[in-house]
Amino acid sequence: DYPGLKDIKSISAYLDEKDYGIHCITDADGNVAVAKGQMNCVFYHTASNGSKGNGLVNSRGIGIELVSRVMLESKVNIIRFRKWRARKRQINRTARLIAVIAKREKIPIRWSNGDRPGVTTHWSVTHTFGVPGGHVDCWPKHMGGYFPALEIIFKARYWYGLRYG
């Protein structure tokens, strides 16, 4: 959560160094970065090869990284939820990205645990596929966590209905 583009540039440099990738990144200021040629790339953005089988999420998923320190700033989910809700620029920009990508790639704008087409989070993929040591950020509020996933989906449907993009 650095002002300007510093946070996006830092994430991009880290992913580059590890030979990982992400299709899009949003930050608290509403800035967006998109990988060049992003829809033609398969990026390693989440592990889905856990004890419950190989979900192949990377081969069929589009990753949007949401830069945030919310999970690290508090251990109380209601406080985390309020902090996420206050990030209106990031939430709105992410919803618009989902609408554009959903339209272009014919992805339904619905909640998914990562086992079917739709919108999911690192936390959900980790738990759906039993990935030991997997990502646990963006734990959805509707699943007992703090991340406003359904709110973002609702907003994405709104933008999709306006034929945004």
Side-chain angles (χ1 to χ4, degrees), residues 1-2 66-74 83-84 87:
D1 283 337
Y2 299 114
L66 282 67
V67 179
S68 161
R69 294 185 51 80
V70 169
M71 191 174 96
L72 305 174
E73 292 174 351
S74 176
K83 286 179 179 263
W84 264 112
R87 299 169 76 95

Side-chain angles (χ1 to χ4, degrees), residues 51-65:
S51 63
K52 298 176 186 173
N54 190 339
L56 300 173
V57 170
N58 293 305
S59 66
R60 62 180 167 79
I62 296 166
I64 302 175
E65 185 73 27

Side-chain angles (χ1 to χ4, degrees), residues 65-127:
E65 185 73 27
L66 282 67
V67 179
S68 161
R69 294 185 51 80
V70 169
M71 191 174 96
L72 305 174
E73 292 174 351
S74 176
K75 293 184 182 210
V76 180
N77 281 346
I78 191 65
I79 292 171
R80 289 172 169 174
F81 176 68
R82 288 179 185 147
K83 286 179 179 263
W84 264 112
R85 297 276 325 282
R87 299 169 76 95
K88 295 190 183 312
R89 289 182 184 164
Q90 187 170 23
I91 286 173
N92 287 327
R93 189 55 63 104
T94 301
R96 289 178 185 179
L97 274 173
I98 290 170
V100 169
I101 293 167
K103 183 178 291 183
R104 189 165 65 200
E105 300 298 315
K106 299 182 178 25
I107 298 169
I109 303 175
R110 65 180 179 198
W111 174 251
S112 169
N113 287 330
D115 56 352
R116 66 182 181 148
V119 178
T120 193
T121 66
H122 284 143
W123 184 92
S124 298
V125 170
T126 293
H127 288 273

Side-chain angles (χ1 to χ4, degrees), residues 132-148:
H135 283 85
V136 293
D137 55 326
C138 297
W139 180 6
K141 175 119 172 74
H142 70 280
M143 299 181 87
Y146 56 86
F147 183 69

Side-chain angles (χ1 to χ4, degrees), residues 12-54:
S12 297
Y14 173 80
L15 293 172
D16 214 20
E17 179 183 302
K18 300 290 183 187
D19 202 25
Y20 294 163
I22 201 76
H23 296 94
C24 309
I25 301 173
T26 64
D27 71 5
D29 297 326
N31 295 314
V32 175
V34 178
K36 185 176 180 181
Q38 51 126 344
M39 290 307 156
N40 299 318
C41 300
V42 175
F43 289 125
Y44 183 83
H45 58 269
T46 190
S48 61
N49 55 347
S51 63
K52 298 176 186 173
N54 190 339

